[in-house]
Amino acid sequence: MPFIETEDIQRGENVYLNYQDYGDGQPVILIHGWPLSHKMWENQVQAIVDAGFRCIAYDRRGFGDSDLPWLNYDYTSLAQDLRALIEQLDLRHCVLVGFSMGGGEVVRYLSMFGNDRIDKAILVSSIIPIVKKTDDNPDGVPEDKLDEIMEALRTKRVTFLAEFSKQFYNYSDNKKKVSEEQLKYDWAITSAASPRATIETAKAWANTDFRQELRNVNVPTLIIHGDADNIVPIETSSEQSSKEIRNNKYIKIKDAPHGLFLTHKEELNNAIIDFLRQ
């Protein structure tokens, strides 16, 4: 498997990140959601390559086949990992595609490194700009609910992940689109991730407020969100970011859950390809 090398700044050690690289043309970088791996993008990789683009999907540190360091799961460290991938593969004119938690890497990357190598961005079911309920974000997830998630990850992680997968797809409403085998497959991926990374990255997406950073997203941006998302409420995420990111196209997919990359893959793929070709 191919790997790139990124420095673990606090410890002075190298962290190796697994990536998959297919096709030719303009590079499209897929950033997976929590707590999955690059394998979640199976249906999108095929569509993007078939459309004539180069598609690169990588595993975030602590997940998939990447290294499992103990430290540095904050968004700044994750954006530095993305920068290492782009520089070591010498990628230019990239399109960054961030799903759920991955939207944070997109925004933090553009905040830290600008758009010299980035042409476009795509946010899919993204947590951007803020997850937590606060006085000035009343539609967010209540802190006690987030605390319950953290406690479940500490005390019954693999059990929690099995139930989370069902919520991810609104399984009771989408049994014709999501098989039991798919749930087992997802569970195998998520439960194999580093327990430490699973908790630390959850802290990152739950507690990071990107509202002031949205001004740094100055490339054409596609925002896609399902209006039936029970994991990342659309009101606290894409509804807000679509009003603050200057040059964006906003698509709401009717009845789509958080995991629309599977349940509504044709609609998602068509929207991505159309945007890439613009």
Side-chain angles (χ1 to χ4, degrees), residues 30-48:
L30 303 180
I31 308 168
H32 67 81
W34 178 93
L36 289 160
S37 75
H38 81 274
K39 292 179 179 178
M40 63 156 277
W41 292 114
E42 178 177 340
N43 294 294
Q44 286 67 51
V45 170
Q46 184 71 54
I48 290 167

Side-chain angles (χ1 to χ4, degrees), residues 49-185:
V49 173
D50 287 349
F53 296 87
R54 180 181 178 183
C55 188
I56 300 154
Y58 71 99
D59 290 330
R60 183 182 288 113
R61 61 168 60 205
F63 297 86
D65 293 312
S66 290
D67 277 356
L68 316 177
W70 190 252
L71 298 174
N72 298 335
Y73 290 100
D74 58 282
Y75 270 109
T76 294
S77 297
L78 300 178
Q80 289 169 331
D81 286 350
L82 175 56
R83 181 67 174 184
L85 175 79
I86 290 172
E87 288 186 333
Q88 289 179 40
L89 297 182
D90 194 23
L91 303 176
R92 300 178 189 277
H93 304 293
C94 300
V95 181
L96 299 181
V97 184
F99 173 80
S100 191
M101 176 183 181
E105 273 122 313
V106 172
V107 174
R108 183 58 56 84
Y109 180 94
L110 291 170
S111 296
M112 292 175 64
F113 302 108
N115 62 356
D116 63 311
R117 291 177 180 248
I118 311 301
D119 280 6
K120 297 179 181 178
I122 302 176
L123 304 175
V124 182
S125 302
S126 174
I127 56 97
I128 295 300
I130 183 172
V131 172
K132 183 182 292 187
K133 181 179 180 179
T134 60
D135 290 342
D136 59 352
N137 186 50
D139 295 318
V141 179
E143 188 164 8
D144 58 353
K145 178 63 176 177
L146 294 171
D147 289 342
E148 288 177 12
I149 292 173
M150 302 303 168
E151 181 63 18
L153 291 172
R154 285 190 289 267
T155 61
K156 51 179 181 179
R157 181 178 63 92
V158 295
T159 303
F160 169 83
L161 292 172
E163 184 59 33
F164 181 79
S165 185
K166 292 181 180 180
Q167 298 174 16
F168 205 83
Y169 299 115
N170 295 3
Y171 180 62
S172 60
D173 297 326
N174 290 294
K175 289 184 178 180
K176 292 182 179 180
K177 297 179 178 181
V178 182
S179 66
E180 291 186 13
E181 289 76 14
Q182 180 69 46
L183 295 178
K184 292 176 182 177
Y185 178 65

Side-chain angles (χ1 to χ4, degrees), residues 160-220:
F160 169 83
L161 292 172
E163 184 59 33
F164 181 79
S165 185
K166 292 181 180 180
Q167 298 174 16
F168 205 83
Y169 299 115
N170 295 3
Y171 180 62
S172 60
D173 297 326
N174 290 294
K175 289 184 178 180
K176 292 182 179 180
K177 297 179 178 181
V178 182
S179 66
E180 291 186 13
E181 289 76 14
Q182 180 69 46
L183 295 178
K184 292 176 182 177
Y185 178 65
D186 284 5
W187 179 84
I189 294 170
T190 61
S191 60
S194 158
R196 167 80 173 181
T198 303
I199 292 173
E200 291 302 304
T201 50
K203 292 177 182 177
W205 58 251
N207 295 305
T208 306
D209 184 348
F210 289 96
R211 285 177 290 185
Q212 295 303 312
E213 293 183 56
L214 293 180
R215 69 188 68 174
N216 300 321
V217 181
N218 56 4
V219 295

